[in-house]
Amino acid sequence: MNRLVNGGPLLEYNHEGYARIGAMPRYGNADSIHWCKVEPNCTVHIISSFEDGDEAVVWGCKAVDSIIPGPDMASTQFGWLPRKFKPTSPSKENDHDTILSVDDGNLFSRAYEWRLNMQSGEVSERYLTGKRFCMDFSMINGAFSGVKNRYGYAQVVDSVASSASGMLKYNGLAKLHFEEPADVSLRSEGQLEEAIKVETHMFEENSFCTGASFVPKQGGFGEDDGWLITFVHNEDTNISQVTLLFQNSETSSHNGMQQQQ
């Protein structure tokens, strides 16, 4: 309240503070929560979580700054937000190593993993896809909640369009293969050795999606047996369409995301 009275925002992200993740037993209560300290971050959308031996594993889309509460009173329309949305590089759009300012690209979120040891209290963290891919609004096949997933999905950020408009725009969809390593070519470009495989389906220029969902196939067996469905808007033609991407790597001849009209 003191900050608000003095002309500042009601909510403010504290880079110098701390963050915690709490794990509660399925039949526990508030007193049984196990708190684990993690690196400060802003994670709005969780991909999935599950148990792996003594560890509780959490996957989410992590950013290192918060879009809430937005520009403070001293910022202009093209100050606070576009700075943090600034693309990292034209050639390697989302390669964090090329960021020029401490604030550049801070609002872009990336797939991330926290492993919380319930016995020792130790925490290990890593980027699942390195820092090349920026994504958010993650999802899984809901029938596989609470177990170790093989696949996850998210909307891919267009950092150039986001920086120009001052708002997040998504120009593609990503499929995360949690049990498959990234291509050797990506690892040779400076990505993490343990990075996972990512498939992307990008839309045509100046076309952006929102509200993507995974719809499982009725009677399907595989975790990825179904469709990704989203609305895609073309800003050049001002036409919106529903786009369906067929999944199922187990039966697909080329193991890819196939678009259906």
Side-chain angles (χ1 to χ4, degrees):
M1 290 301 296
N2 289 335
R3 184 170 57 239
L4 183 64
V5 169
N6 292 326
L10 176 62
L11 300 175
E12 186 175 57
Y13 178 64
N14 185 357
H15 296 263
E16 306 300 327
Y18 68 93
R20 297 186 299 171
I21 296 179
M24 183 175 70
R26 287 186 173 86
Y27 302 100
N29 54 34
D31 294 330
S32 62
I33 296 178
H34 187 103
W35 291 101
C36 296
K37 187 174 180 180
V38 299
E39 295 179 8
N41 69 92
C42 289
T43 301
V44 179
H45 297 110
I46 298 297
I47 302 172
S48 184
S49 60
F50 57 92
E51 294 174 274
D52 186 11
D54 291 336
E55 294 180 321
V57 182
V58 181
W59 291 335
C61 294
K62 169 189 169 180
V64 295
D65 209 334
S66 175
I67 196 170
I68 300 173
D72 60 37
M73 295 183 180
S75 297
T76 64
Q77 180 181 359
F78 297 102
W80 190 89
L81 281 176
R83 175 87 267 169
K84 297 174 187 293
F85 282 138
K86 184 178 179 182
T88 55
S89 169
S91 58
K92 292 183 180 180
E93 182 179 322
N94 296 322
D95 185 349
H96 189 74
D97 294 334
T98 63
I99 291 178
L100 300 178
S101 165
V102 68
D103 287 336
D104 288 356
N106 277 0
L107 292 179
F108 295 134
S109 55
R110 298 170 173 88
Y112 202 76
E113 176 186 84
W114 296 267
R115 301 187 73 93
L116 319 174
N117 191 303
M118 296 293 98
Q119 300 300 319
S120 67
E122 295 180 353
V123 177
S124 61
E125 306 182 26
R126 68 172 178 132
Y127 284 97
L128 288 170
T129 58
K131 296 181 180 179
R132 181 181 181 87
F133 298 100
C134 297
M135 61 187 72
D136 206 347
F137 291 99
S138 52
M139 72 211 85
I140 58 171
N141 183 335
F144 291 81
S145 297
V147 300
K148 185 176 182 180
N149 304 105
R150 295 181 61 189
Y151 308 103
Y153 309 91
Q155 297 176 191
V156 180
V157 175
D158 183 330
S159 67
V160 175
S162 298
S163 178
S165 65
M167 58 169 34
L168 284 167
K169 291 191 174 185
Y170 303 88
N171 67 333
L173 296 172
K175 179 177 183 179
L176 309 178
H177 295 252
F178 296 116
E179 296 184 351
E180 295 184 49
D183 294 339
V184 175
S185 60
L186 289 179
R187 297 202 299 272
S188 66
E189 292 179 4
Q191 301 304 305
L192 298 176
E193 287 295 326
E194 64 270 26
I196 64 172
K197 176 182 175 181
V198 180
E199 281 184 88
T200 58
H201 178 91
M202 309 308 294
F203 305 117
E204 60 184 344
E205 187 175 0
N206 292 328
S207 294
F208 306 101
C209 70
T210 187
S213 298
F214 179 85
V215 179
K217 180 180 179 180
Q218 186 174 3
F221 294 98
E223 183 180 337
D224 64 341
D225 195 356
W227 297 266
L228 277 179
I229 302 179
T230 188
F231 294 100
V232 179
H233 177 71
N234 185 309
E235 294 188 351
D236 293 332
T237 63
N238 199 29
I239 293 175
S240 296
Q241 294 180 315
V242 175
T243 298
L244 291 83
L245 299 178
F246 178 65
Q247 306 300 299
N248 195 342
S249 60
E250 310 225 348
T251 60
S252 172
S253 60
H254 60 279
N255 191 28
M257 296 195 289
Q258 307 166 55
Q259 182 167 341
Q260 295 184 341
Q261 304 297 327

